[in-house]
């Protein structure tokens, strides 16, 4: 068969990710601080964008234009058309809240519900080169007129300076979190550990009340203290101490030098500060030479183990979502309106300056700035709506956690949320990154509410992985010295309780709990009984 050249004409549909659409997707991942910085850049570049609090900038000298600032109630019932020249578009008009028994979303949200979904589903079907989104995708009407060359249309590397690529010293919090994720696998214990890290000051000390932390998390004080004992073994030695004596004791224990005499000295540090050597020798049961050696050892320790780390800029975590329970038992989920950027699109200025343009280049620039401003307002609206929908579904599916505490977290993956609200799983993943929820039990990042599941023995009921780990720990803690439970017996017991689990999974969970094998436990308990 001869090889020849020919020209064919083919027609195909494909989804093209315009720079504006890529930017809208990436805005989902931004935290409050990052979004504020991005909006600040847009305010500097776009003369048609103004801050919402500076309403006088879009009013006449006599205040006659004030009636043109549309209220939230009026905008909620209007379609999302491009504003007319005598109207001001305000991004704060889209701040909404939901209750668990209310209807999700308003009529105007229907135009944007599938915005991110279609974008994510079409990621694998791109055409080469730039182009407009096809009419069949549903984007042409929503995104027409938004020029691709104006504004900051993507997150390309050229936007970042060289200094942002340089390495920086690790902070104490980063150092502790890295050890936590490596050392503690149980989601419940890890969540408690993260809360303890939040209580660590710059010197490395725990400054909060553990009983209040336990009450807020809905767990026992013994659980918090057990996790505290584990994280006190982290580097640097002495971190997570509650006072100076405990900090020094942790370091001495690491050196195998915490004997009864040294403990007595640590229990009476106030006497050491007063230089009351005679009383110290009496309490510790030592002579002057031993006391001098012990004091020298203490002076060689580090009273501030966290001070050697780079101190990060103190930035309080600002929640994106506020959740509380109403008196009737329903849940109220509301966006933190104080953190939502409020932007005004000054249509009046555009209508006034456009006739004065000298040439086509100036007119194109003004029109492109207007389209970019309208696009940003719509994108901020869609971002807020998407966050609210995801947060509402998380509260719906994890209601037991909000009512009873951390032990009642249900098995949950991002696909469950995506299927429930009709969005793509990647969109849910982006929404749950760097987003925080304020609840009666504290402030939690949205990703903490997702836990793995283990299939039930009946093939239907699912058990959370952390619940199964807790069952394994309880069974081993209750075993007698003469009846040590092997991994095979643990599998049999768990299957009798309705948990379909393999032996290797039991071994993995046991090792993640730092529990030794049955042979080692039998030897240890035999030595204790002897």
């Amino acid at each position: 068969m001869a090889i020849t050249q020919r020209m064919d004409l083919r027609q195909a549909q494909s989804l093209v990710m315009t720079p504006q659409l890529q930017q809208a997707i990436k805005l989902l991942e931004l935290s409050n601080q990052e979004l504020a910085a991005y909006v600040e850049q847009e305010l500097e570049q776009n003369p048609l964008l103004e801050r919402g609090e500076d309403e006088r900038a879009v009013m006449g000298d006599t205040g006659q234009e004030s009636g043109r600032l549309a209220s939230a109630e009026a905008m909620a019932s209007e379609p999302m058309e491009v504003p007319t020249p005598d109207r001001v578009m305000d991004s704060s008009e889209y701040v909404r809240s939901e209750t668990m028994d209310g209807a999700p979303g308003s009529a105007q949200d229907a135009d944007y519900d599938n915005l991110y979904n279609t974008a994510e589903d079409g990621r694998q079907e791109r055409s080469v080169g730039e182009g407009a989104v096809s009419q069949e995708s549903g984007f042409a009407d929503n995104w027409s007129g938004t020029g691709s060359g104006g504004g900051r249309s993507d997150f390309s590397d050229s936007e970042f300076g060289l200094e942002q690529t340089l390495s920086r010293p690790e902070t104490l919090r980063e150092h502790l979190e890295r050890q936590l994720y490596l050392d503690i696998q149980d989601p419940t214990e890890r969540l408690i550990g993260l809360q303890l890290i939040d209580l660590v000051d710059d010197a490395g000390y725990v400054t909060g009340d553990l009983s209040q932390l336990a009450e807020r998390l809905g767990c026992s004080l013994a659980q918090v203290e057990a996790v505290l004992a584990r994280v006190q073994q982290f580097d640097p030695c002495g971190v997570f101490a509650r006072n100076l004596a405990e900090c020094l004791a942790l370091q001495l224990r690491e050196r195998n030098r915490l004997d009864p005499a040294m403990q007595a000295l640590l229990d009476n540090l106030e006497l050491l500060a007063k230089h009351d050597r005679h009383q110290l020798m009496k309490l510790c049961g030592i002579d002057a030479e031993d006391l001098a050696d012990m004091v020298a050892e203490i002076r060689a320790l580090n009273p501030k183990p966290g001070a050697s780390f780079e101190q990060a800029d103190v930035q309080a975590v600002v929640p994106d979502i506020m959740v509380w329970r109403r008196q009737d038992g329903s849940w109220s989920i509301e966006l933190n309106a104080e953190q939502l950027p409020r932007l005004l699109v000054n249509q009046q200025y555009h209508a006034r300056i456009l006739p004065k343009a000298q040439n086509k280049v100036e007119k194109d620039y003004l029109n492109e700035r207007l389209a970019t401003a309208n696009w940003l307002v719509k994108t901020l609206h869609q971002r807020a709506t998407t966050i609210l929908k995801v947060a509402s579904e998380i509260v719906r599916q994890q209601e037991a956690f909000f009512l009873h505490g951390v032990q009642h977290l249900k098995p949950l993956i991002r696909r469950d949320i995506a299927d429930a609200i009709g969005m793509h799983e990647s969109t849910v993943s982006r929404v749950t990154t760097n987003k925080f929820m304020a609840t009666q039990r504290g402030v939690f990042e949205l990703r903490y509410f997702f836990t793995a599941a283990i299939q039930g023995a009946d093939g239907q009921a699912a058990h959370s992985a952390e619940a199964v780990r807790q069952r394994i720990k309880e069974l081993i803690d209750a075993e007698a010295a003469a009846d040590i439970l092997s991994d095979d017996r643990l599998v049999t017991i768990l299957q009798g309780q309705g948990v379909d689990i393999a032996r290797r999974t039991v071994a993995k969970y046991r090792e993640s709990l730092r529990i030794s094998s049955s042979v080692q436990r039998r030897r240890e308990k035999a030595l204790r009984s002897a």
Side-chain angles (χ1 to χ4, degrees):
M1 180 178 179
I3 300 177
T4 60
Q5 293 182 345
R6 65 178 184 178
M7 295 181 62
D8 291 332
L9 181 62
R10 297 180 181 179
Q11 185 177 7
Q13 294 181 353
S14 63
L15 177 64
V16 178
M17 298 285 288
T18 64
Q20 288 80 12
L21 185 54
Q22 295 178 27
Q23 186 77 333
I25 293 175
K26 291 183 178 180
L27 283 179
L28 279 175
E29 297 179 303
L30 300 184
S31 62
N32 287 330
Q33 293 81 3
E34 293 170 338
L35 181 63
Y38 173 79
V39 170
E40 187 68 25
Q41 292 177 353
E42 291 297 322
L43 284 168
E44 294 177 357
Q45 295 178 2
N46 199 330
L48 300 182
L49 279 176
E50 298 178 358
R51 298 183 186 278
E53 62 268 20
D54 190 13
E55 296 182 1
R56 290 175 296 179
V58 295
M59 299 180 185
D61 295 337
T62 61
Q64 296 178 354
E65 304 290 339
S66 59
R68 296 179 179 176
L69 288 175
S71 63
E73 292 78 5
M75 285 293 294
S77 61
E78 295 181 2
M80 286 293 299
E81 78 280 359
V82 177
T84 56
D86 63 342
R87 178 172 163 196
V88 175
M89 177 76 85
D90 186 350
S91 63
S92 67
E93 295 163 354
Y94 304 121
V95 178
R96 303 186 299 113
S97 62
E98 290 187 2
T99 56
M100 291 302 297
D101 53 357
S106 60
Q108 77 180 48
D109 296 329
D111 296 336
Y112 298 94
D113 283 344
N114 297 323
L115 174 64
Y116 298 120
N117 294 345
T118 311
E120 298 292 357
D121 293 336
R123 274 189 172 276
Q124 304 301 326
E125 191 182 1
R126 302 180 187 177
S127 63
V128 179
E130 297 291 337
V133 181
S134 63
Q135 293 285 344
E136 290 77 3
S137 67
F139 288 113
D141 294 337
N142 293 338
W143 296 95
S144 60
T146 57
S148 61
R152 195 169 287 263
S153 60
D154 57 10
F155 274 43
S156 60
D157 294 339
S158 60
E159 295 185 14
F160 301 96
L162 178 62
E163 66 277 5
Q164 294 179 263
T165 65
L166 301 178
S167 61
R168 59 174 179 80
E170 188 179 45
T171 64
L172 176 61
R173 179 182 180 87
E174 293 170 347
H175 186 65
L176 296 177
E177 285 184 347
R178 179 165 54 83
Q179 296 178 81
L180 179 71
Y181 286 113
L182 291 174
D183 209 50
I184 297 181
Q185 302 300 324
D186 183 81
T188 299
E189 295 181 354
R190 181 180 290 180
L191 185 60
I192 295 174
L194 288 170
Q195 296 295 311
L196 289 172
I197 291 177
D198 289 338
L199 300 180
V200 174
D201 61 13
D202 294 339
Y205 288 83
V206 174
T207 58
D209 188 351
L210 298 185
S211 59
Q212 293 181 0
L213 176 61
E215 181 179 358
R216 179 159 53 86
L217 293 178
C219 60
S220 64
L221 179 60
Q223 286 180 287
V224 177
E225 290 178 343
V227 176
L228 178 64
R230 293 189 61 179
V231 297
Q232 282 181 342
Q233 302 174 15
F234 287 179
D235 178 75
C237 188
V239 74
F240 287 101
R242 287 163 285 188
N243 50 58
L244 177 60
E246 187 176 31
C247 177
L248 300 177
L250 291 173
Q251 298 178 57
L252 290 169
R253 184 180 294 113
E254 179 72 14
R255 302 182 182 188
N256 198 24
R257 286 291 297 128
L258 188 61
D259 52 31
M262 185 67 77
Q263 185 63 58
L265 178 58
L266 295 178
D267 293 339
N268 296 275
L269 290 178
E270 67 280 358
L271 296 178
L272 181 60
K274 296 177 181 178
H275 302 283
D276 191 350
R277 298 178 178 272
H278 294 287
Q279 186 66 15
L280 285 174
M281 288 188 292
K282 180 179 178 181
L283 292 173
C284 298
I286 55 177
D287 55 20
E289 183 178 357
D290 290 334
L291 179 60
D293 292 338
M294 293 167 62
V295 171
E297 283 189 63
I298 291 178
R299 288 177 177 174
L301 303 176
N302 185 2
K304 296 182 179 181
S308 59
F309 285 81
E310 179 77 10
Q311 302 302 327
D313 296 335
V314 178
Q315 293 182 351
V317 174
V318 180
D320 300 82
I321 307 104
M322 318 292 289
V323 177
W324 68 91
R325 196 180 187 191
R326 298 179 181 271
Q327 293 182 352
D328 60 359
S330 63
W331 294 96
S332 178
I333 303 98
E334 182 177 334
L335 293 175
N336 189 353
E338 295 182 357
Q339 297 302 315
L340 292 176
R342 183 181 180 187
L343 297 178
L344 299 177
V345 181
N346 196 335
Q347 304 286 338
Q348 303 155 19
Y349 178 72
H350 175 264
R352 187 165 59 250
I353 200 68
L354 185 61
K356 301 179 182 180
Q358 300 296 323
N359 49 52
K360 185 178 182 298
V361 175
E362 294 180 358
K363 290 183 179 180
D364 290 344
Y365 171 79
L366 292 174
N367 290 331
E368 187 272 333
R369 292 290 87 187
L370 178 63
T372 301
N374 289 329
W375 167 85
L376 181 58
V377 170
K378 292 179 182 180
T379 303
L380 292 178
H381 157 242
Q382 176 62 23
R383 178 183 182 273
T385 302
T386 305
I387 294 174
L388 187 62
K389 287 183 178 180
V390 172
S392 300
E393 187 60 29
I394 289 176
V395 174
R396 191 188 309 276
Q397 298 203 28
Q398 294 288 12
E399 185 177 10
F401 164 81
F402 296 97
L403 291 175
H404 307 295
V406 69
Q407 293 290 346
H408 297 268
L409 279 173
K410 291 174 51 181
L412 185 65
I413 59 176
R414 292 174 176 85
R415 181 174 298 177
D416 297 334
I417 301 296
D419 294 342
I421 63 178
M423 289 187 175
H424 197 276
E425 185 178 353
S426 299
T427 302
V428 177
S429 178
R430 289 184 172 90
V431 170
T432 54
T433 301
N434 295 324
K435 309 297 185 304
F436 293 85
M437 177 185 292
T439 72
Q440 61 184 9
R441 300 190 179 277
V443 179
F444 301 93
E445 192 172 2
L446 295 183
R447 64 187 178 91
Y448 293 144
F449 294 102
F450 297 97
T451 59
I454 296 178
Q455 192 68 31
D458 56 1
Q460 296 180 355
H463 305 269
S464 64
E466 62 270 24
V468 175
R469 288 191 184 94
Q470 185 65 26
R471 292 185 189 181
I472 293 175
K473 185 176 185 302
E474 292 173 354
L475 289 172
I476 293 177
D477 290 342
E479 66 184 2
D483 187 20
I484 302 299
L485 299 175
S486 64
D487 291 345
D488 290 326
R489 287 193 59 191
L490 288 172
V491 169
T492 303
I493 294 174
L494 290 173
Q495 288 179 347
Q497 296 178 354
V499 181
D500 187 12
I501 190 170
R503 181 185 180 280
R504 62 180 180 275
T505 306
V506 171
K508 182 180 68 174
Y509 286 176
R510 175 179 54 76
E511 292 172 357
S512 69
L513 293 169
R514 293 185 174 275
I515 298 176
S516 56
S517 65
S518 58
V519 176
Q520 185 65 27
R521 296 200 308 274
R522 184 177 291 107
R523 293 173 180 173
E524 293 174 353
K525 293 189 177 183
L527 291 174
R528 294 174 187 173
S529 60

